[in-house]
Amino acid sequence: MASQADFRDRQFLAVIGDEDSVTGLLLAGIGHVTPPPDNQKNFLVVDAKTDNATIEATFERFTTERKDIGIVLINQHIADRIRHRIDTYTQAFPSILEIPSKDHPYDPEKDSVLRRVRRLFGE
Amino acid sequence: MSNQASAATETIDLLLEHYLALLDEYTTLRGTLNTVQADIFHSLARANFSAERGIRYYGQDYYDERMQAIRRIQIGPKDGKAEAEAEGKGDTDPGANRPVFTVRTYPPSASGSEPDTVSRTSDGSGSGTESKEAEKSVPDADAKSGGVNPSATDDSSGSVDEKQKKEQGQEKGEEPGPTSEEEQKPRPKDKPTDPLRWFGILTPLALRQAQGHAIKAVEEIIPRLATLNVEMAAIEVEVRRARKRRAKAEKAEEKRVAELADQMGHVDVSA
């Protein structure tokens, strides 16, 4: 069980997603850019030109380096591109949630939580 | 089956029952999130379709590079009392230690009264009461404060008067009155702007609807899903531990039965 110190400072939601997913969530007011000189954003807009290394590095930054992020939202089709990292992620914080995107509806078969459920029941 | 093994089985059953209830809630919320996300995308598409001239696409080109989060997570214990968390007064229920995600608007206090008080000090009635206090405290001020009509339109004389009153208050070392305190307060910091303003002043209705759906997702669905995720992961660990305990107890029981059978065999031989 994670100690309370692990999550006390975690106050931001982070997003890795396509432009519409990120825009939608930023409209809700979750976007945050840290003060200069860092200027670290808590979101990544993934388009056709974004390579997997960038996505993986951002995921790494959100989950390991930054201690102020409590939930990482990631489009399911983007999570598929770094599935090995998502499936081997075992930390309690930040919590990872896969969300649907405009062009890729949610597939329960790929959801990491439901995969864990299947593993628990021995399938 | 031994007592230990049956107790472990009972524990596992209870945990799985709770786990399935959480799974049911998780799948229901997933469905809701899908619907809300679809609504967001639909509204965004409509906003882009009806975009004014000059706006190419409501997207990352318009993001504010200095944006500050106005909705932030608060992670606390199950009962949601930050005070209890700070003092370490948790419930005896082990589940109470599991964190719960909630999304709050930031800054936490809306401080809607502040602008009111500021406006009150700047209006005529406020300066009127101040002038009365000044009359009581310093006789020199009598002429000036008495001479100046509170409702006077001359701004410069009014400001000079206020400055003098402040100085008088400081010289006397009196506790400043509520109005002077408010005046001395620095202006409230710029609040983080509504993300809708990144896209202009007159944004289309569809974009505002997209924002409404997004707020619903962020405030109601996502924190609950994250909480369920953490809670389910904790139960998975407990179930695995209980299964191990049960396997151990069963092995010990088998060993004991084998030993007993061995002993019985020896008894037969000797008889």
Side-chain angles (χ1 to χ4, degrees):
Chain A
M1 179 64 67
S3 70
Q4 288 174 2
D6 287 345
F7 56 73
R8 192 163 287 169
D9 298 327
R10 296 187 179 275
Q11 51 175 337
F12 297 120
L13 288 112
V15 203
I16 301 174
D18 60 15
E19 191 169 10
D20 277 356
S21 300
V22 175
T23 303
L25 289 163
L26 292 195
L27 272 175
I30 64 164
H32 192 86
V33 179
T34 58
D38 288 348
N39 284 338
Q40 286 198 342
K41 295 171 181 171
N42 65 341
F43 59 90
L44 173 74
V45 176
V46 177
D47 55 22
K49 286 178 262 174
T50 313
D51 55 358
N52 289 357
T54 310
I55 299 169
E56 204 168 336
T58 308
F59 181 80
E60 191 72 21
R61 192 167 66 246
F62 289 165
T63 53
T64 313
E65 290 171 26
R66 289 188 63 169
K67 304 294 178 197
D68 57 350
I69 289 174
I71 301 176
V72 177
L73 302 166
I74 182 165
N75 274 154
Q76 199 171 40
H77 74 282
I78 295 166
D80 278 342
R81 291 169 63 176
I82 54 163
R83 182 55 66 189
H84 58 287
R85 286 290 291 114
I86 305 275
D87 283 348
T88 52
Y89 178 82
T90 51
Q91 286 169 229
F93 297 100
S95 183
I96 310 293
L97 276 184
E98 292 173 39
I99 55 171
S101 61
K102 191 169 70 174
D103 303 321
H104 301 82
Y106 170 73
D107 182 2
E109 292 291 318
K110 292 175 182 169
D111 188 282
S112 55
V113 175
L114 297 181
R115 281 155 82 109
R116 270 190 356 232
V117 173
R118 278 199 297 276
R119 271 205 299 276
L120 183 73
F121 288 102
E123 286 175 27
Chain B
M1 196 184 279
S2 73
N3 284 341
Q4 274 187 332
S6 60
T9 308
E10 215 165 276
T11 313
I12 292 168
D13 286 348
L14 281 173
L15 286 170
L16 287 181
E17 193 183 330
H18 186 207
Y19 188 77
L20 288 174
L22 294 179
L23 179 62
D24 179 51
E25 192 182 349
Y26 181 84
T27 45
T28 311
L29 274 176
R30 270 281 170 200
T32 317
L33 181 64
N34 289 348
T35 316
V36 173
Q37 285 276 101
D39 289 341
I40 295 171
F41 298 135
H42 186 233
S43 298
L44 274 176
R46 278 198 296 130
N48 283 318
F49 182 74
S50 62
E52 289 169 27
R53 281 177 62 191
I55 290 185
R56 284 189 291 117
Y57 194 83
Y58 289 108
Q60 59 180 326
D61 292 347
Y62 296 93
Y63 295 169
D64 180 2
E65 292 296 317
R66 293 166 297 168
M67 62 177 83
Q68 298 288 299
I70 55 172
R71 284 193 170 73
R72 299 185 182 188
I73 307 168
Q74 194 174 23
I75 309 174
K78 206 170 190 176
D79 55 359
K81 284 177 186 165
E83 299 83 26
E85 178 201 344
E87 290 164 23
K89 292 178 192 168
D91 281 357
T92 48
D93 174 22
N97 292 327
R98 287 188 198 129
V100 173
F101 293 77
T102 42
V103 170
R104 302 262 163 91
T105 49
Y106 187 87
S109 59
S111 66
S113 59
E114 267 185 29
D116 291 348
T117 52
V118 168
S119 65
R120 229 187 294 139
T121 54
S122 63
D123 70 18
S125 62
S127 59
T129 52
E130 275 174 27
S131 65
K132 279 177 192 168
E133 282 170 12
E135 275 174 50
K136 282 179 195 170
S137 59
V138 181
D140 286 354
D142 281 354
K144 284 172 188 172
S145 62
V148 175
N149 188 352
S151 60
T153 50
D154 189 1
D155 289 336
S156 61
S157 67
S159 64
V160 168
D161 195 26
E162 281 171 8
K163 274 182 193 172
Q164 284 173 345
K165 279 173 214 159
K166 272 187 203 171
E167 284 167 9
Q168 286 158 10
Q170 283 167 357
E171 280 169 12
K172 277 204 84 181
E174 280 179 356
E175 204 177 341
T179 47
S180 60
E181 193 178 287
E182 280 157 16
E183 280 169 9
Q184 284 166 3
K185 259 189 208 171
R187 287 237 161 221
K189 283 180 191 172
D190 289 340
K191 282 182 186 172
T193 50
D194 182 357
L196 212 57
R197 296 281 91 82
W198 305 341
F199 304 100
I201 297 167
L202 295 168
T203 47
L205 174 69
L207 200 65
R208 275 177 272 146
Q209 285 172 337
Q211 188 186 38
H213 295 309
I215 288 170
K216 187 186 174 191
V218 166
E219 283 191 342
E220 294 171 22
I221 304 167
I222 289 169
R224 185 65 194 142
L225 277 174
T227 307
L228 287 172
N229 183 17
V230 172
E231 207 164 333
M232 285 167 79
I235 292 180
E236 283 162 25
V237 172
E238 282 179 41
V239 167
R240 290 208 171 87
R241 278 186 193 150
R243 278 178 179 168
K244 268 185 191 168
R245 274 202 305 274
R246 184 176 62 181
K248 226 177 183 180
E250 279 174 354
K251 238 180 194 176
E253 179 70 12
E254 274 172 25
K255 207 176 171 184
R256 203 172 61 83
V257 169
E259 278 174 7
L260 264 175
D262 244 20
Q263 282 174 2
M264 290 297 282
H266 282 302
V267 169
D268 285 345
V269 169
S270 62

